Amino acid sequence: MNAMHTVRFSQVDVFSAVPFKGNPLAVVFDADGLDTAQMQAIARWTNLSETTFLLAPDDPEADYRVRIFTTAGELPFAGHPTLGTAYALRESGYRPRRPGRLVQQCGVGLVELAERAHGRWAFAAPPARIAPLPADHRGMLARALGSDAIDAGAAPCTVDNGAPWLLVRMRTAADCLGLRPDDSALAAVTRAAGTSGVAIYGPHAADGPADFEMRCLMTGGDFGFGEDPVTGSANAALACLLEAQGKRPATSYTVRQGTVLERDGRVAIDHDEDGRIWIGGDCVTVIEGRFRCS
């Protein structure tokens, strides 16, 4: 590949209709000519939580194939890249083979996306493996969070839907927002749990801005480090966990995320009559351009 080879890209803000209030995602089009090393180099350069690469599918059921990279490695699945990539593809002029439906091929297999209420698109939450955090790790977790406000009525659990998270419920949204965890101690907890991050959530009051507040703290591995603005995989994991624990508040509910980062991400979760869970939100294009690749 010569130095003048270029590929189109878009930078999309996901889970927000307002630029700079969601989670940014770089989407690289027509990436079949790029190898893994080039994709990883681009993902490191964008320095975003994820960069995706659109490829021709090799499964006849799929509309497209996507590879998802963090600055550190490749993920088999991630939520905001799934929603944002589908949005960027539609915005580029692509028309789904079935109106109102897209099928994405990625590391976890096929993921369905659909146009839901109010024209908002959503992806079907992949199956998740759920396991309670061992009791001897829970004291370590409370010390790492520096809080005694973990909800005793909902055991912390690891939830893996292709992106493994440790989910922890606080008594209130304010308890979630007020956390100032010990990063190194929290990383020790997630390593012991076999995850690369912790998703902390708490319920809002009935008149609050959403049903739940969430924060996702990334503690290494392929996730990288730091707080993620808005996280589709963790919200999909939360929806599966609430269902499994019998704590789903309604058929449809919302999660706010990114507040402490001065973002305002909003995630819509919807359970349909067939038992599928849909994770949706708005997207907006912020940048369009081309990458020059070597």
Side-chain angles (χ1 to χ4, degrees), residues 138-225:
R138 295 180 192 177
M140 184 166 61
L141 172 64
R143 291 189 295 274
L145 293 179
S147 174
D148 60 1
I150 296 174
D151 188 339
C157 290
T158 60
V159 183
D160 188 351
N161 54 19
W165 290 97
L166 171 60
L167 268 73
V168 182
R169 181 176 179 131
M170 309 302 290
R171 288 197 291 261
T172 69
D175 292 323
C176 176
L177 290 170
L179 289 174
R180 298 294 181 268
D182 179 322
D183 293 340
S184 60
L186 194 60
V189 175
T190 57
R191 280 196 302 272
T195 76
S196 297
V198 56
I200 305 160
Y201 66 102
H204 278 283
D207 59 350
D211 293 284
F212 295 98
E213 189 77 28
M214 177 178 276
R215 296 176 65 185
C216 287
L217 308 179
M218 303 178 294
T219 57
D222 287 342
F223 283 7
F225 294 91

Side-chain angles (χ1 to χ4, degrees), residues 1 31-40 67 69:
M1 184 179 296
D32 296 273
L34 301 176
D35 61 27
T36 297
Q38 289 170 315
M39 292 181 189
Q40 187 64 75
R67 294 182 69 180
F69 286 79

Side-chain angles (χ1 to χ4, degrees), residues 33 52 98 103 147 172 180 182 200 210 233 262 275 291:
T52 63
R98 293 183 297 162
V103 177
S147 174
T172 69
R180 298 294 181 268
D182 179 322
I200 305 160
S233 62
E262 298 186 9
F291 277 118

